[in-house]
Amino acid sequence: MTDAELAQLQDQLLRYQKRYQREKTARKEAEVLLEQRSRALYDANFELSTVAAQLEKIVEWRMAQLSEALLKAEMAAKAKSEFLAVMSHEIRTPLNGVLGMAELLSHSHLTSEQGDQVATLQECGTSLLALINDILDLSKIDAGKLTLEQRPYNLYALLDSVVNLFVPKAMEAGLRIEWQRPLGSAWLLGDATRLRQITSNLLSNAIKFTHQGDITVTVGIEPLEDTFDMKRLVLVIRDTGIGMTQEQLGKVFTAFEQADSTTTRRYGGTGLGLAICRRLAEAMGGRIDVSSAHGVGSSFSVHWVATEASAPAAETPVVVLPVEPPSSSVAPLSVMVAEDNTVNQKLIIKLLEKLGFRDVMLAGNGRQALERVSQGGVELILMDMQMPEMDGLDATRAIRQLDLDYQPHIIALTANAFDEDRERCQQAGMNDFLSKPVSLERLSMAMQRGSDRLSSQSLPTPAGAADTQASV
Amino acid sequence: MKGVVFTEFLEMVESRFSADMVDDIIEDAGIKSGGAYTAVGSYPFAEMVALVTALSQRSGLEPQALIYTFGHHLFGRFALLYPYSIQGCSSAFMVLGNIEKHIHQEVQKLYPDAQLPQIEVLSSDERSMVLLYSSPRCLAPLASGLIQGALDHFGEQGRIGVEPLNDEGSKVRFVVDLV
């Protein structure tokens, strides 16, 4: 081997050594990097799982907070609706006394000045009652507690009765109501009470804000496209009254707003009526539109859709009973009043006396009523709902369980005005329902109904379950 | 600069020249790492500059030409090493159009600290594509080689026009016309 070859070989060896060293260094560096990456990955994973655990805790805590808040909200809502029910009762009870006594007073011998004063008293009381009803209605709707009935009613007959109700008021104001009634009948499914409320409100407003001219009521029915039995309805109430400006139109359906503040002074009212009407129409799946020209008049139209109903087998005409003088056939009934409030006791007994009922029995609570009824001989009971010791509902249920020769006719007499209360009374076995404040007229009618029912059963009859199902 | 660029560069030198050439340029460059590169590491960009300069001196080839050749080599290697980067692409234009929103995203997953050039598509139709290259490293010839590599990969013929937009070459417009 020459020196040159040896030198080349040495150079080659050196190169290989260097390459080997380079590769080794690179591998080691790669290993270090791999370890660093693994550690970083581990740390990141650990951090993630810690964060996840923390998050879970936070979510758990939030959930607990939320469900607590929900519970609180539900309790508050419940408390609010209970408060409403109690207030409703508490306000109506004394008002009942005021209105009842005023009515009694109006039937007594008064000078014409005193007569005027009593009439004013009655008017004020009545408008206060209307206001309370409106506020209760609005809060009920806002609380989502409004449930609409789906029962058949005859739209034309309903409008007949509402219009008839307002004719005297219109005539008094020198106005004419033109009700363009279509012929025949129009049976629909829906909530007649609420529709009556809307119509009454619009008519009442039309009369209030019109000084001369007419109020026109029209109704249109047409089939809804692509349906079998659905109808599109529009009820229009048009007046020739003071009308509204564009700005006034904008807020006319807002609660507690009236067209303007001077309206409040000149025309009175709370501004709740139209807000309620609008909410009711919306609850019916419809709407109320208004068009108006200042100084020319306004036109309110209610649009909704309803299912056609078949007419009941025998169409019972709507009969508006006149105030009847106490009929002698009613008087012999043995009547009991179950009522804890002394003012109301006094009032109802006075009213009954006016109707010819003497020797009315009195029970201060449900237990006393039950005890007296169990001795027999009670034919008709006017039963307050809320009483100490035993309330009217429990008392009624207990009375219905009694083995009597005949079951008494029980009329709920209560300041609780909600539909649910009416239902609860019916379920407890009561036959009729009178909400306070009760007028002589409504009491007379209820007594007449009780008397008719009792005589149709040719007393005494054995008490039967079916007996309690009678007309409420 | 990512280690994979260094390892690929040395591989190219070894295959195009010789293993001795690799030893020599590492020696000549006098670099701190001693050329012991690992693909997953990161090394100073200056070492790449020194290596290219050394190769240029040893081979007598222009640095720009060497970088271009490296770019061309690199595309083939990337296509082999990271086939998912060009999955679903059926032409060079599709790959070029995907660099920013797809390929660079994939690179960031592996190397969150990678400093990548921006390749913006200025316009594109079936026959022609205009790209804007922006990078402080001024490696437009590398990009040019990569584009040629992409064309060759899909068996396409094209002309690559290079228009530097500034003196240092940090912004360069490429006009690629298929022929």
mmCIF file of all heavy atoms in Angstrom, chain A residues 12 15-16 18-19 21-23 25-27 29-30 33-34 37, chain B residues 19-20 22-24 26-27 34-38 40-41 43 111:
data_model
loop_
_atom_site.group_PDB
_atom_site.id
_atom_site.type_symbol
_atom_site.label_atom_id
_atom_site.label_comp_id
_atom_site.label_asym_id
_atom_site.label_seq_id
_atom_site.Cartn_x
_atom_site.Cartn_y
_atom_site.Cartn_z
ATOM 1 N N GLN A 12 -10.768 8.516 4.446
ATOM 2 C CA GLN A 12 -12.055 7.832 4.349
ATOM 3 C C GLN A 12 -12.567 7.432 5.748
ATOM 4 O O GLN A 12 -13.751 7.625 6.069
ATOM 5 C CB GLN A 12 -11.877 6.567 3.466
ATOM 6 C CG GLN A 12 -13.179 6.076 2.824
ATOM 7 C CD GLN A 12 -13.742 7.143 1.864
ATOM 8 O OE1 GLN A 12 -12.980 7.782 1.112
ATOM 9 N NE2 GLN A 12 -15.030 7.382 1.907
ATOM 10 N N ARG A 15 -13.818 10.348 7.579
ATOM 11 C CA ARG A 15 -15.157 10.714 7.095
ATOM 12 C C ARG A 15 -16.230 9.830 7.738
ATOM 13 O O ARG A 15 -17.268 10.293 8.193
ATOM 14 C CB ARG A 15 -15.219 10.558 5.570
ATOM 15 C CG ARG A 15 -14.628 11.731 4.818
ATOM 16 C CD ARG A 15 -14.701 11.488 3.330
ATOM 17 N NE ARG A 15 -13.974 12.522 2.594
ATOM 18 C CZ ARG A 15 -14.525 13.678 2.225
ATOM 19 N NH1 ARG A 15 -15.784 13.949 2.511
ATOM 20 N NH2 ARG A 15 -13.794 14.570 1.574
ATOM 21 N N TYR A 16 -15.960 8.487 7.730
ATOM 22 C CA TYR A 16 -16.930 7.552 8.296
ATOM 23 C C TYR A 16 -17.155 7.820 9.773
ATOM 24 O O TYR A 16 -18.293 7.795 10.257
ATOM 25 C CB TYR A 16 -16.476 6.100 8.089
ATOM 26 C CG TYR A 16 -16.696 5.616 6.674
ATOM 27 C CD1 TYR A 16 -15.728 4.863 6.019
ATOM 28 C CD2 TYR A 16 -17.885 5.922 5.999
ATOM 29 C CE1 TYR A 16 -15.922 4.416 4.715
ATOM 30 C CE2 TYR A 16 -18.068 5.479 4.690
ATOM 31 C CZ TYR A 16 -17.102 4.737 4.053
ATOM 32 O OH TYR A 16 -17.291 4.317 2.781
ATOM 33 N N LYS A 18 -16.818 10.667 11.256
ATOM 34 C CA LYS A 18 -17.609 11.898 11.378
ATOM 35 C C LYS A 18 -19.088 11.634 11.074
ATOM 36 O O LYS A 18 -19.982 12.147 11.758
ATOM 37 C CB LYS A 18 -17.055 12.975 10.432
ATOM 38 C CG LYS A 18 -15.879 13.720 11.035
ATOM 39 C CD LYS A 18 -15.484 14.896 10.155
ATOM 40 C CE LYS A 18 -14.283 15.633 10.725
ATOM 41 N NZ LYS A 18 -13.709 16.558 9.729
ATOM 42 N N ARG A 19 -19.307 10.859 9.987
ATOM 43 C CA ARG A 19 -20.710 10.564 9.622
ATOM 44 C C ARG A 19 -21.404 9.813 10.752
ATOM 45 O O ARG A 19 -22.536 10.091 11.105
ATOM 46 C CB ARG A 19 -20.759 9.716 8.341
ATOM 47 C CG ARG A 19 -20.640 10.548 7.104
ATOM 48 C CD ARG A 19 -20.652 9.702 5.859
ATOM 49 N NE ARG A 19 -19.798 10.309 4.839
ATOM 50 C CZ ARG A 19 -19.382 9.686 3.750
ATOM 51 N NH1 ARG A 19 -19.713 8.425 3.529
ATOM 52 N NH2 ARG A 19 -18.631 10.302 2.879
ATOM 53 N N GLN A 21 -20.620 9.864 13.870
ATOM 54 C CA GLN A 21 -20.830 10.785 14.995
ATOM 55 C C GLN A 21 -22.041 11.674 14.737
ATOM 56 O O GLN A 21 -22.858 11.925 15.629
ATOM 57 C CB GLN A 21 -19.550 11.642 15.161
ATOM 58 C CG GLN A 21 -19.413 12.296 16.536
ATOM 59 C CD GLN A 21 -19.518 11.280 17.680
ATOM 60 O OE1 GLN A 21 -18.875 10.208 17.636
ATOM 61 N NE2 GLN A 21 -20.349 11.543 18.661
ATOM 62 N N ARG A 22 -22.143 12.127 13.421
ATOM 63 C CA ARG A 22 -23.262 12.984 13.047
ATOM 64 C C ARG A 22 -24.593 12.273 13.232
ATOM 65 O O ARG A 22 -25.536 12.800 13.826
ATOM 66 C CB ARG A 22 -23.102 13.385 11.577
ATOM 67 C CG ARG A 22 -23.263 14.855 11.369
ATOM 68 C CD ARG A 22 -22.813 15.367 10.036
ATOM 69 N NE ARG A 22 -23.082 14.553 8.895
ATOM 70 C CZ ARG A 22 -22.180 14.311 7.922
ATOM 71 N NH1 ARG A 22 -20.962 14.837 8.010
ATOM 72 N NH2 ARG A 22 -22.477 13.569 6.888
ATOM 73 N N GLU A 23 -24.660 11.063 12.746
ATOM 74 C CA GLU A 23 -25.900 10.281 12.845
ATOM 75 C C GLU A 23 -26.267 10.061 14.302
ATOM 76 O O GLU A 23 -27.435 10.165 14.692
ATOM 77 C CB GLU A 23 -25.744 8.925 12.124
ATOM 78 C CG GLU A 23 -25.669 9.014 10.612
ATOM 79 C CD GLU A 23 -26.861 9.761 10.015
ATOM 80 O OE1 GLU A 23 -28.005 9.550 10.471
ATOM 81 O OE2 GLU A 23 -26.645 10.601 9.109
ATOM 82 N N THR A 25 -25.338 11.838 16.942
ATOM 83 C CA THR A 25 -25.779 13.094 17.555
ATOM 84 C C THR A 25 -27.221 13.402 17.149
ATOM 85 O O THR A 25 -28.068 13.782 17.982
ATOM 86 C CB THR A 25 -24.871 14.254 17.102
ATOM 87 O OG1 THR A 25 -23.511 13.850 17.261
ATOM 88 C CG2 THR A 25 -25.118 15.494 17.923
ATOM 89 N N ALA A 26 -27.498 13.206 15.843
ATOM 90 C CA ALA A 26 -28.852 13.484 15.344
ATOM 91 C C ALA A 26 -29.870 12.588 16.042
ATOM 92 O O ALA A 26 -30.950 13.032 16.448
ATOM 93 C CB ALA A 26 -28.909 13.283 13.840
ATOM 94 N N ARG A 27 -29.532 11.282 16.199
ATOM 95 C CA ARG A 27 -30.463 10.348 16.861
ATOM 96 C C ARG A 27 -30.724 10.800 18.286
ATOM 97 O O ARG A 27 -31.866 10.855 18.738
ATOM 98 C CB ARG A 27 -29.893 8.935 16.847
ATOM 99 C CG ARG A 27 -30.795 7.929 17.553
ATOM 100 C CD ARG A 27 -30.277 6.501 17.392
ATOM 101 N NE ARG A 27 -28.925 6.324 17.876
ATOM 102 C CZ ARG A 27 -28.609 6.138 19.176
ATOM 103 N NH1 ARG A 27 -29.545 6.133 20.085
ATOM 104 N NH2 ARG A 27 -27.355 5.976 19.531
ATOM 105 N N GLU A 29 -30.406 13.733 19.539
ATOM 106 C CA GLU A 29 -31.201 14.952 19.568
ATOM 107 C C GLU A 29 -32.676 14.637 19.324
ATOM 108 O O GLU A 29 -33.559 15.182 19.983
ATOM 109 C CB GLU A 29 -30.708 15.938 18.506
ATOM 110 C CG GLU A 29 -31.202 17.344 18.797
ATOM 111 C CD GLU A 29 -30.976 18.283 17.636
ATOM 112 O OE1 GLU A 29 -30.020 18.058 16.871
ATOM 113 O OE2 GLU A 29 -31.775 19.228 17.498
ATOM 114 N N ALA A 30 -32.898 13.692 18.380
ATOM 115 C CA ALA A 30 -34.268 13.288 18.085
ATOM 116 C C ALA A 30 -34.913 12.677 19.326
ATOM 117 O O ALA A 30 -36.082 12.938 19.632
ATOM 118 C CB ALA A 30 -34.292 12.307 16.926
ATOM 119 N N LEU A 33 -35.756 15.387 21.741
ATOM 120 C CA LEU A 33 -36.955 16.087 21.260
ATOM 121 C C LEU A 33 -38.207 15.258 21.509
ATOM 122 O O LEU A 33 -39.242 15.787 21.932
ATOM 123 C CB LEU A 33 -36.816 16.380 19.758
ATOM 124 C CG LEU A 33 -35.935 17.569 19.411
ATOM 125 C CD1 LEU A 33 -35.694 17.628 17.908
ATOM 126 C CD2 LEU A 33 -36.606 18.863 19.886
ATOM 127 N N LEU A 34 -38.074 13.949 21.254
ATOM 128 C CA LEU A 34 -39.221 13.056 21.455
ATOM 129 C C LEU A 34 -39.660 13.082 22.918
ATOM 130 O O LEU A 34 -40.854 13.156 23.226
ATOM 131 C CB LEU A 34 -38.831 11.633 21.032
ATOM 132 C CG LEU A 34 -39.974 10.635 20.987
ATOM 133 C CD1 LEU A 34 -40.967 11.035 19.903
ATOM 134 C CD2 LEU A 34 -39.446 9.230 20.700
ATOM 135 N N ARG A 37 -41.338 16.325 23.631
ATOM 136 C CA ARG A 37 -42.707 16.326 23.061
ATOM 137 C C ARG A 37 -43.647 15.473 23.911
ATOM 138 O O ARG A 37 -44.784 15.830 24.152
ATOM 139 C CB ARG A 37 -42.692 15.783 21.627
ATOM 140 C CG ARG A 37 -41.985 16.663 20.634
ATOM 141 C CD ARG A 37 -42.965 17.641 19.964
ATOM 142 N NE ARG A 37 -42.226 18.665 19.252
ATOM 143 C CZ ARG A 37 -41.882 18.557 17.977
ATOM 144 N NH1 ARG A 37 -42.206 17.491 17.273
ATOM 145 N NH2 ARG A 37 -41.217 19.533 17.400
ATOM 146 N N ALA B 19 -21.746 11.336 -1.012
ATOM 147 C CA ALA B 19 -21.713 11.406 0.447
ATOM 148 C C ALA B 19 -20.527 12.254 0.875
ATOM 149 O O ALA B 19 -20.603 12.976 1.879
ATOM 150 C CB ALA B 19 -21.610 9.997 1.040
ATOM 151 N N ASP B 20 -19.441 12.193 0.098
ATOM 152 C CA ASP B 20 -18.263 13.005 0.438
ATOM 153 C C ASP B 20 -18.592 14.491 0.342
ATOM 154 O O ASP B 20 -18.146 15.297 1.160
ATOM 155 C CB ASP B 20 -17.110 12.688 -0.521
ATOM 156 C CG ASP B 20 -16.481 11.340 -0.183
ATOM 157 O OD1 ASP B 20 -16.914 10.730 0.844
ATOM 158 O OD2 ASP B 20 -15.598 10.881 -0.930
ATOM 159 N N VAL B 22 -21.351 15.835 0.965
ATOM 160 C CA VAL B 22 -22.072 16.189 2.196
ATOM 161 C C VAL B 22 -21.058 16.506 3.291
ATOM 162 O O VAL B 22 -21.143 17.553 3.946
ATOM 163 C CB VAL B 22 -23.011 15.041 2.634
ATOM 164 C CG1 VAL B 22 -23.632 15.342 3.991
ATOM 165 C CG2 VAL B 22 -24.086 14.796 1.592
ATOM 166 N N ASP B 23 -20.083 15.606 3.480
ATOM 167 C CA ASP B 23 -19.057 15.840 4.504
ATOM 168 C C ASP B 23 -18.345 17.161 4.259
ATOM 169 O O ASP B 23 -18.154 17.957 5.180
ATOM 170 C CB ASP B 23 -17.990 14.727 4.466
ATOM 171 C CG ASP B 23 -18.585 13.361 4.790
ATOM 172 O OD1 ASP B 23 -19.643 13.338 5.459
ATOM 173 O OD2 ASP B 23 -18.016 12.346 4.358
ATOM 174 N N ASP B 24 -18.004 17.371 3.000
ATOM 175 C CA ASP B 24 -17.204 18.547 2.664
ATOM 176 C C ASP B 24 -17.949 19.855 2.937
ATOM 177 O O ASP B 24 -17.376 20.781 3.523
ATOM 178 C CB ASP B 24 -16.787 18.495 1.187
ATOM 179 C CG ASP B 24 -15.805 17.345 0.933
ATOM 180 O OD1 ASP B 24 -15.193 16.864 1.915
ATOM 181 O OD2 ASP B 24 -15.687 16.909 -0.239
ATOM 182 N N ILE B 26 -20.382 20.403 4.887
ATOM 183 C CA ILE B 26 -20.596 20.584 6.340
ATOM 184 C C ILE B 26 -19.307 21.131 6.955
ATOM 185 O O ILE B 26 -19.327 22.089 7.737
ATOM 186 C CB ILE B 26 -20.990 19.250 7.006
ATOM 187 C CG1 ILE B 26 -22.436 18.882 6.633
ATOM 188 C CG2 ILE B 26 -20.857 19.353 8.527
ATOM 189 C CD1 ILE B 26 -22.862 17.504 7.072
ATOM 190 N N GLU B 27 -18.213 20.573 6.514
ATOM 191 C CA GLU B 27 -16.900 21.002 6.986
ATOM 192 C C GLU B 27 -16.692 22.479 6.618
ATOM 193 O O GLU B 27 -16.348 23.307 7.456
ATOM 194 C CB GLU B 27 -15.829 20.121 6.307
ATOM 195 C CG GLU B 27 -14.450 20.211 6.935
ATOM 196 C CD GLU B 27 -14.356 19.438 8.261
ATOM 197 O OE1 GLU B 27 -15.063 18.407 8.386
ATOM 198 O OE2 GLU B 27 -13.621 19.893 9.166
ATOM 199 N N GLY B 34 -22.957 21.032 13.433
ATOM 200 C CA GLY B 34 -22.094 19.993 12.888
ATOM 201 C C GLY B 34 -22.805 19.120 11.865
ATOM 202 O O GLY B 34 -22.359 18.032 11.516
ATOM 203 N N GLY B 35 -23.954 19.597 11.410
ATOM 204 C CA GLY B 35 -24.703 18.857 10.389
ATOM 205 C C GLY B 35 -25.480 17.669 10.922
ATOM 206 O O GLY B 35 -26.022 16.882 10.157
ATOM 207 N N ALA B 36 -25.518 17.569 12.264
ATOM 208 C CA ALA B 36 -26.265 16.444 12.847
ATOM 209 C C ALA B 36 -27.734 16.847 12.953
ATOM 210 O O ALA B 36 -28.207 17.244 14.008
ATOM 211 C CB ALA B 36 -25.690 16.114 14.221
ATOM 212 N N TYR B 37 -28.424 16.754 11.788
ATOM 213 C CA TYR B 37 -29.829 17.214 11.761
ATOM 214 C C TYR B 37 -30.806 16.073 11.979
ATOM 215 O O TYR B 37 -30.572 14.954 11.524
ATOM 216 C CB TYR B 37 -30.135 17.871 10.404
ATOM 217 C CG TYR B 37 -29.292 19.102 10.118
ATOM 218 C CD1 TYR B 37 -28.394 19.123 9.046
ATOM 219 C CD2 TYR B 37 -29.400 20.236 10.933
ATOM 220 C CE1 TYR B 37 -27.641 20.235 8.775
ATOM 221 C CE2 TYR B 37 -28.621 21.356 10.672
ATOM 222 C CZ TYR B 37 -27.752 21.351 9.604
ATOM 223 O OH TYR B 37 -26.990 22.450 9.357
ATOM 224 N N THR B 38 -31.896 16.395 12.664
ATOM 225 C CA THR B 38 -33.001 15.443 12.748
ATOM 226 C C THR B 38 -34.250 16.140 12.199
ATOM 227 O O THR B 38 -34.440 17.345 12.417
ATOM 228 C CB THR B 38 -33.228 14.946 14.198
ATOM 229 O OG1 THR B 38 -34.532 14.408 14.309
ATOM 230 C CG2 THR B 38 -33.092 16.055 15.212
ATOM 231 N N VAL B 40 -37.237 16.245 13.008
ATOM 232 C CA VAL B 40 -38.219 16.859 13.917
ATOM 233 C C VAL B 40 -37.644 18.050 14.680
ATOM 234 O O VAL B 40 -38.352 18.677 15.460
ATOM 235 C CB VAL B 40 -38.785 15.814 14.909
ATOM 236 C CG1 VAL B 40 -39.678 14.825 14.171
ATOM 237 C CG2 VAL B 40 -37.669 15.093 15.631
ATOM 238 N N GLY B 41 -36.367 18.392 14.430
ATOM 239 C CA GLY B 41 -35.757 19.519 15.126
ATOM 240 C C GLY B 41 -35.952 20.818 14.365
ATOM 241 O O GLY B 41 -36.580 20.850 13.303
ATOM 242 N N TYR B 43 -33.556 24.393 13.216
ATOM 243 C CA TYR B 43 -32.176 24.890 13.161
ATOM 244 C C TYR B 43 -32.161 26.272 12.533
ATOM 245 O O TYR B 43 -33.082 26.629 11.788
ATOM 246 C CB TYR B 43 -31.309 23.912 12.358
ATOM 247 C CG TYR B 43 -31.418 22.501 12.911
ATOM 248 C CD1 TYR B 43 -32.365 21.604 12.410
ATOM 249 C CD2 TYR B 43 -30.629 22.102 13.985
ATOM 250 C CE1 TYR B 43 -32.512 20.345 12.942
ATOM 251 C CE2 TYR B 43 -30.758 20.832 14.525
ATOM 252 C CZ TYR B 43 -31.712 19.956 14.006
ATOM 253 O OH TYR B 43 -31.862 18.710 14.544
ATOM 254 N N TYR B 111 -45.913 21.020 13.352
ATOM 255 C CA TYR B 111 -44.918 21.987 13.832
ATOM 256 C C TYR B 111 -45.578 23.334 14.082
ATOM 257 O O TYR B 111 -45.593 24.223 13.224
ATOM 258 C CB TYR B 111 -43.814 22.173 12.772
ATOM 259 C CG TYR B 111 -43.205 20.865 12.343
ATOM 260 C CD1 TYR B 111 -43.430 20.348 11.075
ATOM 261 C CD2 TYR B 111 -42.383 20.150 13.218
ATOM 262 C CE1 TYR B 111 -42.867 19.148 10.684
ATOM 263 C CE2 TYR B 111 -41.825 18.940 12.838
ATOM 264 C CZ TYR B 111 -42.069 18.441 11.569
ATOM 265 O OH TYR B 111 -41.517 17.255 11.195
#
